[in-house]
């Protein structure tokens, strides 16, 4: 042929040999970091780092080279890396391929280059062998792992990996986001630089600026040290710069990295406006810290800090909040929280939980439900335990201490529970020859916080107790029978007690019970569908002799809530110090209708009541404290339960405690929820405890107005819809969210959450107000605003946990992305989601 050129007749060239070393292609992180756009952009440019060699000379070529065999795989396999990637074949396909041996190879017309999941398409690709220079021109398109890069020209010195990519545009399909740059320069196999790059998840067609866009003057990446540096980074929202940083560094992988996190801000009626700027410090792979300077307009400067640690033998976190000079309080204020778990030699485990604040008003000024289950009772728990076992059984020996910080208020006092220092015990359990047994023996020294004993008339003391049970259960398909014998023994020592001049007393109380239950099932047709109906009757007989206990101390006994679970227990008291005498039978049943095809429960009904064969002398008072009046009523209140989802989109449930003597309900809870679709739910709950409380609660998440608009950007809009996970990316919808708890007895709102969410497709705005009652005439109202830039970060205070905790059925407008590592929820760059 003329000029020594060779045209391959099948228009396909295949080289099975290994290619020179190249860097691994772009690996999209699970979290979008501040400058993921440039990390992905520049790393994505590196996806074209493969090499296409010219075909061998006729003298060295085999007589018949095999064609590339592309076979589908039934399973998804991870892409090979490093040396394994270099061993994969290169496939080049075009309408025309010509070659000058050892000089130049030219592929023209719908050129496609493939290797290890990397695809490069262009109108023309040339390779200059002496200069090791590859050039792709004409609608260059690079695809890898769901990312697409396009531009007019790509030029690389393959071995040295030096070159440039002109005017590239990029798209992260999975995230529905992307951007463009003026130029990418590949300095070598480990370093790259992008000029004037921008990134957004909003439609980018047309001359108008996207709703939000992150722009940088330049971005430098160094893969050897896993670091990128952006200069002149500016975040613009609705045409206005809202965040600018002259220099910003970030990691090039999903690894953690020290740096500033997005600022947060909120406001409330007690402290004013608060602005926080967290700094994340990646100390080591198993240690990190977050330092958060705070500016509170009414109180002054503050600092929050958190330190986390993890090793093979221990893990924990320490949090500290500090206001060196609170202008409103006129003093320094602080809070400390420490949670720790560890393991010593010999399978010994130890733990600690400490929550302490500087003053009684902290819980009002800085409410935080994560600090403690009870806002005004802050625990200090220390413990150590060691499990052990033997054939047919296992046990646990432990030592603990528990103390409380009680936050008192001028309008209402808090009665502190007893402190335990120490609490030492052992627990055993197992089975042998069909018998099942349990045993617990424990010693406690009870004290009260300073001033509590004198005010409440309670005294310190000591108690040793032993709880044991022995049962022989029979369980067969459709029924069970469990006879049980248990004992509650306790010995007390308390100076000044009236029951004994020495201050000592003891008692032993046995209990015998017989638990019998059945499970019947049948197939039926009802409500227009095939169902499985179950009928589950149950009987529980309990006999406990009377023992006088009113003169004994009460350290931890209180009446259990009267419900479907507690009515089937031997003792109506929790704790150790009170055991009710009983000669009673509890009878009840539950029936369920279950959809035969889906297994979903369509209807549940239940009824249970207790009958006393003799009067009960150890009872609780109306407030749940022990030593009430004797109970002579033969039939207890009846408990009724009902729930159903038979009505489409409706869930109804109700529970009632009905007094047969008063012929009316004394306590009831009725709830209903209507959920016709995602982000559309309304629920209401009515709670009544006659003579004490009557409350109505309403919660909702509902679109107000707006909706989907015609998609823009074609392929990009479709990708955005996938990323959104909740419909069209370009929709515009306002949502109202909230929960209101109203006391009908007091005629006032006790707690409430009200908010608005605006879904613009590529960004979401949230404004939420939370009101928490801190007294009969006091409340703390907190305002939270958050701007979520889809595919980048969330800026502002985070109200999502408040919404999820308070609104039944609440759903995020965008599903949260998970970290690449389940054990690591820390940010990986200056911006994080």
């Amino acid at each position: 042929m003329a000029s020594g050129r060779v045209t391959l007749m099948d228009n396909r060239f295949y080289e099975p040999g290994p290619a020179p070393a190249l860097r691994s292609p772009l690996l999209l992180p699970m979290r979008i970091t501040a400058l993921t756009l440039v990390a992905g952009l520049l790393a994505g440019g590196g996806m074209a780092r493969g090499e296409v060699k010219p075909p061998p000379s006729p003298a060295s070529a085999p007589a018949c080279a095999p064609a590339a065999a592309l076979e589908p795989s039934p399973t998804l396999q991870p892409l090979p890396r490093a040396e394994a990637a270099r061993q994969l074949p290169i496939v080049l396909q075009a309408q025309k391929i010509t070659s000058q041996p050892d000089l130049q190879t030219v592929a023209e017309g719908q050129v496609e280059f493939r290797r290890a999941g990397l695809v490069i398409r262009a109108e023309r690709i040339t390779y200059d062998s002496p200069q090791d220079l590859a050039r792709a021109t004409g609608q260059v398109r690079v695809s890898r792992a769901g990312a697409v890069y396009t531009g007019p020209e790509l030029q690389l010195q393959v071995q040295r990996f030096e070159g440039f990519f002109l005017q590239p545009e990029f798209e992260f399909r999975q995230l529905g986001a992307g951007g463009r740059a003026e130029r990418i320069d590949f300095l070598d196999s480990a370093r790259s630089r992008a000029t004037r790059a921008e990134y957004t998840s909003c439609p980018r067609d047309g001359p108008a600026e996207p709703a939000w866009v992150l722009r940088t003057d330049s971005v430098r990446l160094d893969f050897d040290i896993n670091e990128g540096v952006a200069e002149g980074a500016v975040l613009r929202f609705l045409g206005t710069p809202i965040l600018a940083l002259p220099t910003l560094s970030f990691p090039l992988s999903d690894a953690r990295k020290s740096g500033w996190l997005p600022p947060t801000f909120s406001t409330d009626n007690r402290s004013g406006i608060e602005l926080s700027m967290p700094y994340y410090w990646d100390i080591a792979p198993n240690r990190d810290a977050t330092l958060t300077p705070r500016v509170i307009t009414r109180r002054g400067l503050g600092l929050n800090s958190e330190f986390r640690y993890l090793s093979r033998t221990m893990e924990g976190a320490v949090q500290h909040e500090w206001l060196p000079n609170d202008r409103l309080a006129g003093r320094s204020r602080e809070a400390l929280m420490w949670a720790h778990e560890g393991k010593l030699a010999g399978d010994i485990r130890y733990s600690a939980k400490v929550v302490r604040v500087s003053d009684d008003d902290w819980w009002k000024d800085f409410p935080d439900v994560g600090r403690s289950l009870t806002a005004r009772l802050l625990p200090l728990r220390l413990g150590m335990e060691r499990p052990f076992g033997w054939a047919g059984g296992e046990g646990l020996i432990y030592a603990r201490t528990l103390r409380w910080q009680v936050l008192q208020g001028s309008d209402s006092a808090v009665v502190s529970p007893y402190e335990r220092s120490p609490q030492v015990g052992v627990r055993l359990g197992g089975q042998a020859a069909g018998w099942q047994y349990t045993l617990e023996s424990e010693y406690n020294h009870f004290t009260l916080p300073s001033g509590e004993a004198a005010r409440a008339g309670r005294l310190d003391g000591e108690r040793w107790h032993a709880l044991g049970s022995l049962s022989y259960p029979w369980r067969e398909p459709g029924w069970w029978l469990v006879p049980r014998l248990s004992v509650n023994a306790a010995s007390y020592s308390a100076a000044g007690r009236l029951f004994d001049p020495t201050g000592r007393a003891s008692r032993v109380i046995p209990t015998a019970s017989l638990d019998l239950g059945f499970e019947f099932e049948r197939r039926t047709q009802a409500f227009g569908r095939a169902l499985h109906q179950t009928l589950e009757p149950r009987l529980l007989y309990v006999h406990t002799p009377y023992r006088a206990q009113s003169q004994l101390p009460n350290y931890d006994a209180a009446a259990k809530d009267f419900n479907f679970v507690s009515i089937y227990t031997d003792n109506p008291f929790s704790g150790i110090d009170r055991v009710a005498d009983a000669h009673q039978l509890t009878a009840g049943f539950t029936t369920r209708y279950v959809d035969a095809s889906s297994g979903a429960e369509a209807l549940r009904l239940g009824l249970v009541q207790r009958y006393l064969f003799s009067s009960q002398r150890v009872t609780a008072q109306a407030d749940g404290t022990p030593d009430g009046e004797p109970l002579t009523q033969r039939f207890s209140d009846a408990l009724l339960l009902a729930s159903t989802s038979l009505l489409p989109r409706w869930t109804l449930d109700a529970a009632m405690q009905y007094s047969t003597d008063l012929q009316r309900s004394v306590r009831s809870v009725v709830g209903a929820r209507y959920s016709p679709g995602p982000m559309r739910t309304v629920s209401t709950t009515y709670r009544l405890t006659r003579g004490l409380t009557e409350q109505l609660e309403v919660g909702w998440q509902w679109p107000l107005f707006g909706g989907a608009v015609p998609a823009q950007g074609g392929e990009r809009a479709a990708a955005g819809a996938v990323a959104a996970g909740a419909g069209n990316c370009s929709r515009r919808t306002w949502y109202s969210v909230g929960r209101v708890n109203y006391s009908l007895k007091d005629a006032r709102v006790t707690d409430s959450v009200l908010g608005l969410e605006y879904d613009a497709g590529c960004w979401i705005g949230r404004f939420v107000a939370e009101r928490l009652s801190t007294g009969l005439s006091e409340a703390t109202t907190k305002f939270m605003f958050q701007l979520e830039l889809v595919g980048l970060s969330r800026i502002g205070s985070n109200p999502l946990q408040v919404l999820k905790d308070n609104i039944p059925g609440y759903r995020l407008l965008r599903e949260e992305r998970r970290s690449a590592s389940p054990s690591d929820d820390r940010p990986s760059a200056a911006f994080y989601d």
Side-chain angles (χ1 to χ4, degrees):
M1 296 186 182
S3 303
R5 294 180 179 270
V6 177
T7 301
L8 303 183
M9 299 303 296
D10 61 355
N11 294 332
R12 181 184 297 266
F13 167 67
Y14 166 68
E15 180 175 359
L22 71 158
R23 287 194 52 80
S24 62
L26 171 66
L27 297 178
L28 283 177
M30 296 299 290
R31 290 194 300 271
I32 295 303
T33 62
L35 272 288
T36 294
L37 71 133
V38 289
L41 178 63
L42 302 191
M47 294 196 303
R49 299 182 191 182
E51 178 185 11
V52 177
K53 295 183 178 180
S57 62
S60 59
C64 182
L70 301 179
E71 298 180 356
S73 172
T75 60
L76 292 175
Q77 300 292 334
L79 294 174
R81 301 183 182 183
E83 185 62 31
R86 292 191 286 270
Q87 298 297 328
L88 292 177
I90 296 172
V91 176
L92 180 64
Q93 182 174 348
Q95 292 180 344
K96 180 180 180 181
I97 299 177
T98 60
S99 176
Q100 283 184 307
D102 300 325
L103 291 177
Q104 189 179 62
T105 299
V106 179
E108 298 176 295
Q110 301 180 9
V111 184
E112 182 177 288
F113 171 95
R114 289 181 176 270
R115 187 183 190 191
L118 167 67
V119 180
I120 301 177
R121 294 184 175 94
E123 288 301 314
R124 177 184 173 91
I125 294 180
T126 65
Y127 178 75
D128 190 323
S129 182
Q131 298 185 36
D132 191 28
L133 181 64
R135 175 182 294 176
T137 57
Q139 301 180 4
V140 181
R141 180 184 178 93
V142 179
S143 304
R144 170 66 163 159
V148 178
Y149 306 84
T150 59
E153 183 177 348
L154 172 68
Q155 182 171 303
L156 284 174
Q157 287 185 305
V158 179
Q159 292 290 349
R160 299 172 59 184
F161 201 78
E162 295 180 0
F164 59 85
F165 199 160
L166 293 181
Q167 299 178 358
E169 295 188 4
F170 52 93
E171 185 77 35
F172 300 140
R173 292 280 183 90
Q174 188 177 12
L175 304 171
R180 58 171 64 96
E182 287 187 0
R183 178 186 175 103
I184 296 178
D185 290 290
F186 305 107
L187 306 180
D188 56 35
S189 61
R191 296 181 298 129
S192 305
R193 181 178 64 242
T195 303
R196 299 201 176 278
E198 65 179 45
Y199 170 77
T200 183
S201 61
C202 298
R204 298 177 295 284
D205 294 339
E209 181 179 270
W212 71 265
V213 61
L214 179 63
R215 292 175 175 167
T216 62
D217 293 337
S218 67
V219 181
R220 293 178 287 109
L221 303 183
D222 192 325
F223 291 92
D224 286 340
I225 62 175
N226 189 39
E227 183 181 42
V229 177
E231 297 179 354
V234 178
L235 178 61
R236 295 176 60 86
F237 177 67
L238 299 181
T240 303
I242 62 173
L243 186 64
L245 292 172
T247 303
L248 179 66
S249 64
F250 54 94
L252 303 182
S253 68
D254 206 34
R256 303 175 305 176
K257 186 181 184 301
S258 301
W260 292 99
L261 307 180
T264 63
F265 51 88
S266 62
T267 180
D268 65 60
N269 62 326
R270 301 180 70 92
S271 301
I273 300 174
E274 177 181 339
L275 175 64
S276 302
M277 191 68 182
Y279 180 82
Y280 176 69
W281 181 17
D282 183 22
I283 303 172
N286 63 332
R287 295 188 301 275
D288 61 20
T290 304
L291 304 176
T292 308
R294 307 163 65 193
V295 178
I296 307 175
T297 55
R298 295 183 184 177
R299 300 186 183 275
L301 300 177
L303 177 66
N304 289 2
S305 57
E306 180 186 20
F307 173 68
R308 305 192 310 173
Y309 52 92
L310 173 67
S311 71
R312 291 181 298 176
T313 58
M314 66 178 181
E315 63 177 303
V318 181
Q319 301 179 52
H320 184 253
E321 303 176 27
W322 180 44
L323 287 172
N325 182 20
D326 187 337
R327 292 195 298 264
L328 287 181
R331 62 181 183 274
S332 175
R333 307 178 71 186
E334 58 186 319
L336 173 68
M337 289 156 281
W338 178 42
H340 177 89
E341 292 183 358
K343 185 176 181 180
L344 301 175
D347 203 22
I348 298 176
R349 303 190 294 256
Y350 64 98
S351 62
K353 181 176 182 180
V354 179
V355 182
R356 286 295 183 265
V357 298
S358 58
D359 54 86
D360 288 342
D361 292 331
W362 185 277
W363 72 282
K364 295 182 180 180
D365 297 336
F366 310 102
D368 184 359
V369 295
R371 188 177 295 120
S372 176
L373 293 176
T374 51
R376 300 175 65 178
L377 286 175
L378 306 182
L380 185 155
R381 294 188 180 95
L382 303 176
M384 183 176 293
E385 61 185 30
R386 184 186 184 279
F388 59 92
W390 63 93
E394 58 184 18
L396 180 72
I397 184 170
Y398 55 90
R400 302 167 183 162
T401 182
L402 171 62
R403 294 185 177 274
W404 299 99
Q405 180 183 7
V406 186
L407 306 184
Q408 298 291 358
S410 57
D411 57 342
S412 60
V414 176
V415 178
S416 169
Y418 277 93
E419 299 178 337
R420 302 172 186 241
S421 54
Q423 177 187 15
V424 181
V426 61
R427 295 175 182 173
L428 308 174
Q431 56 183 0
W435 292 88
Q436 295 183 356
Y437 61 91
T438 63
L439 176 64
E440 174 187 299
S441 180
E442 187 176 286
Y443 166 81
N444 286 271
H445 180 227
F446 294 99
T447 59
L448 282 166
S450 178
E452 279 293 307
R455 183 180 62 81
R458 298 184 291 171
L459 298 176
D460 300 345
E462 300 177 2
R463 184 189 70 200
W464 169 85
H465 76 261
L467 304 178
S469 69
L470 182 65
S471 63
Y472 193 94
W474 284 281
R475 299 185 184 274
E476 299 293 339
W479 66 276
W480 78 85
L481 176 64
V482 182
R484 185 190 310 271
L485 179 65
S486 58
V487 62
N488 182 320
S491 176
Y492 299 89
S493 175
R497 284 290 171 183
L498 300 178
F499 54 80
D500 191 313
T502 64
R504 297 182 180 276
S506 61
R507 49 99 177 135
V508 177
I509 305 175
T511 297
S513 64
L514 188 65
D515 191 1
L516 174 63
F518 298 90
E519 296 176 347
F520 303 108
E521 182 177 340
R522 67 165 185 162
R523 297 180 180 179
T524 185
Q525 291 281 338
F527 314 111
R529 65 178 81 174
L531 299 171
H532 289 291
Q533 182 189 5
T534 67
L535 180 62
E536 305 162 30
R538 184 178 178 183
L539 297 172
L540 175 65
Y541 172 77
V542 179
H543 180 72
T544 303
Y546 168 74
R547 297 290 187 270
Q549 301 165 63
S550 60
Q551 297 301 317
L552 297 176
N554 177 31
Y555 297 121
D556 58 9
K560 298 176 182 175
D561 181 58
F562 190 62
N563 54 45
F564 262 78
V565 176
S566 65
I567 198 171
Y568 284 109
T569 57
D570 297 351
N571 187 15
F573 288 98
S574 63
I576 304 298
D577 297 313
R578 294 295 183 270
V579 180
D581 55 310
H583 186 202
Q584 63 192 30
L585 178 67
T586 302
F589 76 91
T590 301
T591 182
R592 297 181 297 148
Y593 288 84
V594 180
D595 191 283
S597 59
S598 66
E601 186 176 276
L603 177 65
R604 175 182 293 196
L605 300 172
L607 173 64
V608 63
Q609 192 173 25
R610 177 182 293 161
Y611 177 76
L612 300 182
F613 295 101
S614 60
S615 299
Q616 193 173 77
R617 301 169 64 181
V618 180
T619 62
Q621 303 184 54
D623 61 357
T625 59
D627 307 327
E629 295 296 324
L631 180 62
T632 58
Q633 177 182 339
R634 293 301 183 189
F635 285 96
S636 72
D637 293 346
L639 293 175
L640 298 93
L641 173 69
S643 64
T644 180
S645 58
L646 287 172
L647 296 177
R649 305 182 182 90
W650 284 89
T651 301
L652 308 175
D653 56 82
M656 179 185 297
Q657 179 180 339
Y658 183 82
S659 173
T660 54
D661 284 355
L662 300 178
Q663 297 294 308
R664 64 179 183 182
S665 67
V666 295
R667 191 174 62 157
S668 58
V669 179
V670 180
R673 183 191 299 179
Y674 175 64
S675 300
M679 282 76 74
R680 287 169 170 81
T681 181
V682 177
S683 63
T684 180
T685 304
Y686 172 79
R687 297 181 178 90
L688 170 67
T689 302
R690 197 169 298 279
L692 292 178
T693 63
E694 186 177 9
Q695 294 181 330
L696 179 64
E697 179 184 297
V698 179
W700 68 92
Q701 180 187 24
W702 200 265
L704 295 176
F705 52 86
V709 299
Q712 300 177 6
E715 185 179 88
R716 291 171 179 170
V722 175
N728 195 304
C729 177
S730 56
R731 63 185 179 180
R732 306 288 188 269
T733 309
W734 285 91
Y735 292 87
S736 174
V737 294
R739 180 191 62 84
V740 177
N741 196 347
Y742 183 78
S743 174
L744 298 173
K745 182 176 182 293
D746 301 325
R748 70 183 184 96
V749 175
T750 55
D751 299 310
S752 61
V753 174
L754 299 174
L756 289 172
E757 294 183 295
Y758 178 66
D759 184 357
C762 61
W763 64 272
I764 298 172
R766 297 183 178 93
F767 178 80
V768 176
E770 181 184 21
R771 183 181 184 274
L772 300 174
S773 293
T774 55
L776 295 177
S777 58
E778 288 184 310
T780 297
T781 303
K782 185 176 182 179
F783 301 93
M784 294 168 282
F785 175 77
Q786 183 183 69
L787 177 63
E788 179 178 348
L789 306 179
V790 177
L792 182 67
S793 182
R794 292 174 179 151
I795 302 174
S797 52
N798 189 354
L800 293 177
Q801 194 60 46
V802 173
L803 297 177
K804 289 187 286 187
D805 289 345
N806 287 274
I807 301 175
Y810 174 81
R811 290 185 58 178
L812 295 175
L813 303 185
R814 294 292 186 277
E815 293 299 327
E816 293 181 296
R817 292 183 296 276
R818 297 183 180 273
S819 167
S821 173
S823 61
D824 180 22
D825 61 353
R826 275 299 181 187
S828 59
F831 292 90
Y832 73 105
D833 191 1

